[in-house]
């Protein structure tokens, strides 16, 4: 059974991007492929873009959609095996996932990390158990370590707006008041490293000391603690905060001097600026950029539909649903 949880589930990155852009040019061109199948979206954490864009994508393919916010509407789930459930959990993931699989042809799952236990988070226990027990194809709507639909949309956006055959793409850390997961940054790095191997981009990561991401996501990227050096001649700048991986889940600096604004933009080659959203204005990213002509944040969000639509089409075809 085929699932979509990372770039490793993509057999040809160039072809997937091309197909997404083709779908974007005619969103209802494959409206019959869904055949009234049901897409279930299961959220253990909040969502705006992921929920709406994936619903829209499924509808564009002729699918029905059902959504459940398990953190608010479902029973409290037990994730551990071989336990006596005499505490606050009400339903085991074995039954919950299996039942959802009975109602849906494809399931999407969002499950954030707790940022307290690195080993637990990076084992992707919740996502893997969901896949194991539900019995249908699963799409990651962001897990503890990755956000593949976002990264796919990011690559589509870069391809659309690139003026060079191999643009320089920079991932820069940004300040934040809360410790955030590494999932978006891990995933973006993983997709850009793969794109770099295919000569689609030149990829650089910049962040303060202590914010190194896990090597499995960044191997092959140039990494520097000098933001100004990284920004030089950049064509795209991807702005994102993440908490420390080595000092797991911690904030190590107030980030003074790291916020991207129009002054820093002068170091680039008139770069387009990207962010997955939601963004804290004036903290992660300057208002001058967000309200200016170099911002691609709304374009990125729009492309979430076509990234999801491509993935769902591939899963329907690949699993012969």
């Amino acid at each position: 059974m085929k699932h979509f949880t990372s770039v490793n589930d993509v057999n040809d990155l160039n072809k997937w991007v091309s197909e997404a852009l083709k779908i974007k040019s005619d969103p209802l061109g494959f409206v019959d492929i869904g055949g009234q199948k049901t897409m279930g979206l299961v959220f253990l954490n909040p969502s705006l873009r992921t929920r709406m864009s994936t619903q829209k994508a499924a509808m564009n393919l002729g699918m029905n959609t059902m959504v459940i916010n398990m953190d608010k509407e479902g029973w409290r789930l037990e994730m551990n095996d071989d336990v006596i459930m005499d505490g606050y959990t009400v339903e085991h993931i074995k039954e919950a996932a299996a039942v959802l699989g009975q109602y849906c042809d494809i399931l999407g799952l969002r499950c954030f990390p707790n940022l307290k236990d690195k080993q637990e988070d990076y084992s992707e226990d919740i996502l893997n158990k969901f896949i194991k027990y539900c019995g249908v194809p699963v799409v990651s709507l962001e897990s503890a370590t990755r956000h593949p639909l976002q990264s796919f949309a990011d690559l589509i956006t870069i391809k659309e707006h690139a003026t060079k055959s191999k643009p320089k793409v920079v991932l820069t850390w940004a300040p934040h008041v809360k410790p955030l997961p590494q999932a978006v940054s891990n995933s973006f790095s993983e997709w850009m490293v793969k794109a770099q191997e295919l000569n689609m981009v030149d990829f650089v990561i910049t962040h303060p000391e202590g914010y190194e991401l896990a090597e499995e996501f960044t191997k092959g990227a140039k990494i520097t603690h000098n933001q100004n050096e990284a920004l030089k001649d950049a064509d795209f700048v991807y702005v994102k905060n993440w908490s420390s991986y080595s000092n797991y889940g911690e904030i190590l600096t107030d980030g003074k001097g790291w916020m991207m604004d129009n002054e820093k933009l002068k170091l680039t080659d008139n770069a387009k600026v990207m962010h997955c959203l939601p963004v804290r204005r004036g903290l992660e990213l300057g208002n001058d950029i967000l309200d200016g002509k170099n911002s691609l944040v709304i374009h990125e969000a729009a492309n979430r539909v076509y990234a999801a639509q491509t993935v769902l089409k591939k899963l329907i075809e690949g699993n012969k649903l």
Side-chain angles (χ1 to χ4, degrees):
M1 187 177 295
K2 297 180 184 297
H3 306 282
F4 181 76
T5 62
S6 78
V7 72
N8 298 320
D9 296 313
V10 178
N11 56 6
D12 190 320
L13 207 54
N14 271 304
K15 285 185 178 179
W16 278 51
V17 171
S18 296
E19 184 162 353
L21 291 172
K22 181 181 178 181
I23 287 171
K24 184 173 183 176
S25 69
D26 184 15
L28 299 179
F30 297 95
V31 72
D32 295 327
I33 197 172
Q36 294 299 304
K37 293 175 177 63
T38 299
M39 173 84 197
L41 302 175
V42 182
F43 292 93
L44 304 186
N45 305 95
S47 176
L48 189 159
R49 279 148 294 276
T50 299
R51 173 173 174 167
M52 299 294 285
S53 64
T54 310
Q55 278 189 275
K56 178 70 171 178
M59 292 163 60
N60 283 351
L61 294 174
M63 301 182 75
N64 300 308
T65 61
M66 296 194 297
V67 180
I68 182 167
N69 297 301
M70 288 290 288
D71 58 326
K72 301 177 183 69
E73 302 164 349
W75 300 112
R76 189 180 291 272
L77 293 179
E78 176 61 59
M79 302 296 176
N80 296 313
D81 294 326
D82 302 321
V83 295
I84 297 172
M85 290 173 55
D86 58 356
Y88 63 89
T89 56
V90 178
E91 184 161 21
H92 201 282
I93 192 170
K94 287 185 177 182
E95 286 77 45
V99 167
L100 288 165
Q102 295 296 305
Y103 302 150
C104 304
D105 300 286
I106 298 176
L107 282 166
L109 176 69
R110 166 164 283 197
C111 50
F112 288 175
N114 59 34
L115 289 181
K116 296 176 182 177
D117 186 326
K118 181 196 296 187
Q119 184 176 353
E120 179 181 312
D121 288 345
Y122 274 69
S123 73
E124 291 286 13
D125 185 54
I126 298 175
L127 177 63
N128 289 330
K129 283 181 176 174
F130 200 85
I131 289 171
K132 180 178 179 180
Y133 298 124
C134 74
V136 297
V138 172
V139 177
S140 170
L141 305 178
E142 187 174 359
S143 67
T145 66
R146 292 178 172 93
H147 195 352
L149 285 176
Q150 177 66 55
S151 302
F152 186 19
D154 295 334
L155 184 57
I156 294 166
T157 305
I158 289 169
K159 181 69 174 179
E160 265 189 313
H161 293 270
T163 58
K164 302 173 184 175
S165 60
K166 190 179 180 182
K168 180 180 178 181
V169 178
V170 176
L171 168 63
T172 181
W173 181 90
H176 206 285
V177 293
K178 294 173 59 179
L180 299 185
Q182 298 100 32
V184 170
S185 304
N186 284 344
S187 195
F188 185 76
S189 298
E190 191 172 46
W191 282 71
M192 290 303 116
V193 166
K194 178 67 74 172
Q196 182 171 258
E197 291 172 358
L198 299 171
N199 290 315
M200 297 170 70
V201 301
D202 180 22
F203 183 47
V204 180
I205 303 171
T206 183
H207 53 70
E209 292 186 31
Y211 282 93
E212 291 75 12
L213 297 167
E215 188 180 4
E216 65 180 288
F217 302 105
T218 63
K219 191 174 182 179
K222 179 182 177 182
I223 302 172
T224 176
H225 298 141
N226 187 328
Q227 188 189 46
N228 289 351
E229 175 188 288
L231 292 174
K232 186 178 179 182
D233 299 324
D235 299 295
F236 294 89
V237 179
Y238 198 96
V239 177
K240 186 70 183 80
N241 172 268
W242 62 90
S243 59
S244 175
Y245 174 74
S246 55
N247 292 74
Y248 193 62
E250 293 184 14
I251 296 175
L252 305 180
T253 174
D254 63 8
K256 186 177 180 180
W258 276 84
M259 186 187 78
M260 192 74 192
D261 57 17
N262 275 340
E263 195 60 33
K264 289 183 179 290
L265 197 62
K266 294 176 182 178
L267 298 168
T268 72
D269 190 6
N270 195 31
K272 299 297 184 182
V273 180
M274 305 172 68
H275 190 288
C276 63
L277 301 181
V279 62
R280 295 206 178 205
R281 283 173 167 259
L283 177 65
E284 292 178 84
L285 193 50
N287 292 328
D288 50 0
I289 286 185
L290 284 165
D291 296 329
K293 59 184 176 59
N294 291 72
S295 173
L296 289 182
V297 298
I298 304 303
H299 297 278
E300 280 177 85
N303 281 334
R304 292 292 305 276
V305 175
Y306 312 110
Q309 199 167 333
T310 304
V311 168
L312 294 178
K313 179 176 177 289
K314 294 284 188 183
L315 288 179
I316 290 169
E317 293 170 340
N319 288 293
K320 296 181 172 56
L321 298 179

